[in-house]
Amino acid sequence: MKKTVTAVFDIGKTNKKFFLFDDEFQEVYREYVQFDEITDEDGHPTEDLSALRDWLKTVFDRMLKTEKYEIKAINFSSYGASLVHLDENRDVIFPLYNYTKSIPQNIIDSFYEKYGPEADFHQKTGSSSSGMLNAGMQLYWLKNTKPEVFKKIRYSLHLPQYLSFVFTGIPLSEYTSIGCHTSLWDFEKRDYHDWVYAENLDQILPPIVSTETSINMNYNGKRIKIGVGIHDSSAALLPYVRSLKNQFILISTGTWSIALNPFVERTLSKKDVADDCINYMRINGKPVKSARLFLGNEYSIQVKKLTEYYQVDKDYHKTVKFDPEIHYEIVKEFEKIFKWESIEDPEMPEETHLRYTSFDHAYHHLMMELVLLQVESIKSAKGNMTIEKLFVDGGFSDNDIYIHLLSHHFRTMELRTTDSSLGSALGAAICISDTQLNSKFLKKNYSMKKHIPFIAK
């Protein structure tokens, strides 16, 4: 007898993942793939949308034919700050522009001249001035720099909704993608910001539906419930919000490390803006105060340099465990020695100074500096609130040194980690189910581990 399952495509910047979950939300199947990036018309690297689309279809069609599983539903989680533009024939125009691409300063300046002041705009939209990281700013940039092609846009879809569109052919918008630091949403009005209407961008943004919406379709001869997609950070947050009563902060780690505080009841304060906090959104439309750090990206850059400098295997860093003796030696005469390439830090040196003879020492020092940045990020998201629980999921939940140091810095908080590979995928599966979650859900499904702070010398 076939096992009834829910399928999820979880599309990250690096790894493209496919999961099957049973009725108890236990993972029963997974596969991963990576694609080489292509470049846009300016030579900037970006997602190979055609390869991604072909892979989505190929994997799903293959899994529909398997004798082992009966797929009853499918949903999609993916990174934000990325738009796919369709013409009147619903064909893709423009590349999927990479959120790391820069926008000319004159475009940004003209935007805030019209719709600022910048700090007030940041408060209302929960979006800092981050160029392409704000999907709305991408639209403004396209309209002002490529007007002839821009006129051909019939729909602009957030990436999670484009993944759904590949299967349904129905263009839609949903709240978590709109609310993830896009500059599009006014959290005070609970509607698109006035500038969206002033620029007539509402004409190309598809109808908004609930994140829990699903479309019952006959797909390749099978009745399947197809979700509308969800932003990956909001998806990672969902199982926690649904199953826990006490307030908490979730650190969702990967390329970005995002400290998520879903318990705020107001828009960002002036201090929040000064601390560069931004908003994500829960599936019920409530804001999630967040502090974002390019931690995974910087980690990859620095580890690659250390690997080459100390001539160790490229995966050696994954084997290094926390050593209290090394930590003690570094703490005795601690100073910052790393120059970051993708993170702004006024206290970093002008050049990296490696003063150690071993990779393990240098790696410990690297993690100590990165965790100091993480600590400040968590404090920004927490603000003055009394929160006693801290959860970490994503790639850094497996990093022994990161977890030891984090528990050391937040000794008064209960720190738990979860299975690193499931976060946003499991959230996407839960989003389109009618299942009620209880407090035992995380322990059962996430291999939850509690961490005790080490005793420093």
Side-chain angles (χ1 to χ4, degrees):
M1 184 176 173
K2 288 187 175 184
K3 183 187 282 281
T4 303
V5 294
T6 296
V8 173
F9 282 104
D10 182 24
I11 307 303
K13 288 277 285 178
T14 303
N15 292 312
K16 323 301 175 187
K17 309 170 191 176
F18 176 77
F19 293 93
L20 294 178
F21 296 100
D22 66 15
D23 291 337
E24 298 292 318
F25 296 108
Q26 294 293 308
E27 176 200 328
V28 296
Y29 179 85
R30 73 167 79 179
E31 63 178 273
Y32 287 34
V33 72
Q34 294 182 355
F35 299 118
D36 292 332
E37 289 182 312
I38 58 172
T39 56
D40 62 22
E41 68 273 13
D42 298 319
H44 196 85
T46 192
E47 190 83 63
D48 188 341
L49 206 56
S50 178
L52 175 59
R53 184 172 57 241
D54 291 346
W55 178 75
L56 295 170
K57 288 278 199 174
T58 300
V59 170
F60 193 62
D61 291 350
R62 167 164 47 84
M63 296 308 297
L64 282 178
K65 295 172 185 172
T66 181
E67 293 299 316
K68 196 171 180 181
Y69 304 110
E70 183 73 36
I71 298 176
K72 65 175 182 180
I74 180 173
N75 204 6
F76 314 87
S77 66
S78 184
Y79 59 90
S82 303
L83 293 168
V84 181
H85 310 284
L86 309 177
D87 64 16
E88 61 182 10
N89 298 317
R90 303 195 176 184
D91 293 327
V92 175
I93 51 175
F94 291 118
L96 178 73
Y97 289 110
N98 194 325
Y99 60 58
T100 61
K101 186 183 177 79
S102 61
I103 290 180
Q105 190 60 43
N106 66 305
I107 298 290
I108 295 171
D109 291 343
S110 74
F111 179 87
Y112 287 116
E113 282 172 19
K114 280 186 182 179
Y115 304 113
E118 184 177 327
D120 294 345
F121 186 85
H122 184 163
Q123 267 188 278
K124 287 187 176 181
T125 64
S127 307
S128 59
S129 178
S130 304
M132 284 283 195
L133 265 168
N134 299 349
M137 199 66 84
Q138 291 184 32
L139 289 173
Y140 184 81
W141 166 73
L142 282 173
K143 184 178 179 183
N144 284 274
T145 60
K146 304 174 191 295
E148 293 308 312
V149 191
F150 182 85
K151 288 175 185 174
K152 297 177 181 177
I153 297 176
R154 178 62 190 92
Y155 294 110
S156 287
L157 300 178
H158 297 275
L159 182 56
Q161 284 65 65
Y162 173 72
L163 302 176
S164 176
F165 171 84
V166 168
F167 292 88
T168 66
I170 301 172
L172 295 168
S173 301
E174 61 76 44
Y175 289 105
T176 67
S177 294
I178 296 168
C180 72
H181 57 82
T182 62
S183 293
L184 295 169
W185 195 252
D186 187 322
F187 282 85
E188 291 178 357
K189 286 198 322 177
R190 292 189 160 220
D191 189 7
Y192 283 125
H193 191 281
D194 291 346
W195 84 269
V196 175
Y197 296 106
E199 297 284 343
N200 294 318
L201 298 183
D202 57 305
Q203 302 298 312
I204 61 173
L205 296 169
I208 303 172
V209 297
S210 163
T211 313
E212 296 171 286
T213 299
S214 58
I215 300 156
N216 290 301
M217 289 189 64
N218 186 317
Y219 184 87
N220 286 3
K222 304 203 176 192
R223 295 295 295 177
I224 295 177
K225 186 165 75 168
I226 303 178
V228 299
I230 179 171
H231 182 265
D232 55 8
S233 294
S234 298
L237 188 62
L238 185 60
Y240 297 86
V241 172
R242 287 268 181 95
S243 60
L244 296 173
K245 290 190 172 81
N246 294 333
Q247 294 183 346
F248 62 86
I249 286 177
L250 172 65
I251 318 301
S252 179
T253 65
T255 302
W256 287 90
S257 178
I258 305 163
L260 299 157
N261 178 355
F263 300 100
V264 292
E265 296 292 338
R266 53 168 178 72
T267 54
L268 297 178
S269 67
K270 284 184 167 58
K271 185 180 187 309
D272 294 333
V273 170
D275 289 342
D276 202 30
C277 288
I278 55 173
N279 278 341
Y280 288 78
M281 193 185 282
R282 288 167 60 170
I283 64 172
N284 62 5
K286 288 188 175 181
V288 178
K289 182 183 171 187
S290 312
R292 187 177 54 192
L293 188 62
F294 217 8
L295 196 74
N297 187 73
E298 189 64 45
Y299 174 89
S300 297
I301 292 169
Q302 298 297 338
V303 164
K304 186 171 185 287
K305 288 183 173 183
L306 291 183
T307 298
E308 292 170 354
Y309 183 85
Y310 290 100
Q311 297 185 323
V312 297
D313 183 83
K314 64 182 176 62
D315 291 327
Y316 177 72
H317 66 103
K318 297 176 184 177
T319 70
V320 182
K321 302 298 183 185
F322 178 75
D323 187 326
E325 293 294 333
I326 293 178
H327 176 264
Y328 176 65
E329 288 175 27
I330 296 172
V331 164
K332 280 194 301 184
E333 298 179 2
F334 182 80
E335 62 178 341
K336 293 190 175 183
I337 64 170
F338 286 94
K339 182 182 189 303
W340 310 130
E341 291 195 14
S342 59
I343 294 175
E344 291 294 327
D345 179 8
E347 296 180 0
M348 67 183 178
E350 292 186 6
E351 297 295 335
T352 296
H353 302 291
L354 295 176
R355 62 193 191 198
Y356 303 107
T357 56
S358 77
F359 178 93
D360 287 34
H361 277 71
Y363 182 71
H364 271 73
H365 197 125
L366 170 67
M367 293 311 303
M368 288 167 69
E369 288 200 35
L370 288 175
V371 168
L372 286 175
L373 296 173
Q374 182 69 88
V375 166
E376 292 307 309
S377 178
I378 294 167
K379 287 179 178 177
S380 293
K382 182 171 175 284
N384 295 323
M385 296 177 68
T386 302
I387 298 176
E388 296 176 351
K389 291 183 181 292
L390 189 62
F391 295 99
V392 179
D393 80 5
F396 278 97
S397 66
D398 294 328
N399 188 303
D400 189 60
I401 300 177
Y402 174 91
I403 295 301
H404 269 88
L405 293 172
L406 207 58
S407 66
H408 175 64
H409 282 285
F410 292 100
R411 304 181 72 82
T412 60
M413 296 180 78
E414 181 184 302
L415 173 63
R416 293 179 184 263
T417 56
T418 62
D419 186 315
S420 65
S421 64
L422 294 178
S424 51
L426 193 52
I430 290 166
C431 187
I432 58 167
S433 79
D434 300 321
T435 307
Q436 296 296 312
L437 307 185
N438 59 38
S439 59
K440 296 178 181 176
F441 178 83
L442 291 172
K443 186 174 181 181
K444 178 182 176 184
N445 293 70
Y446 273 44
S447 306
M448 192 74 73
K449 298 175 190 171
K450 185 176 180 180
H451 297 272
I452 307 300
F454 67 90
I455 300 173
K457 288 188 178 182

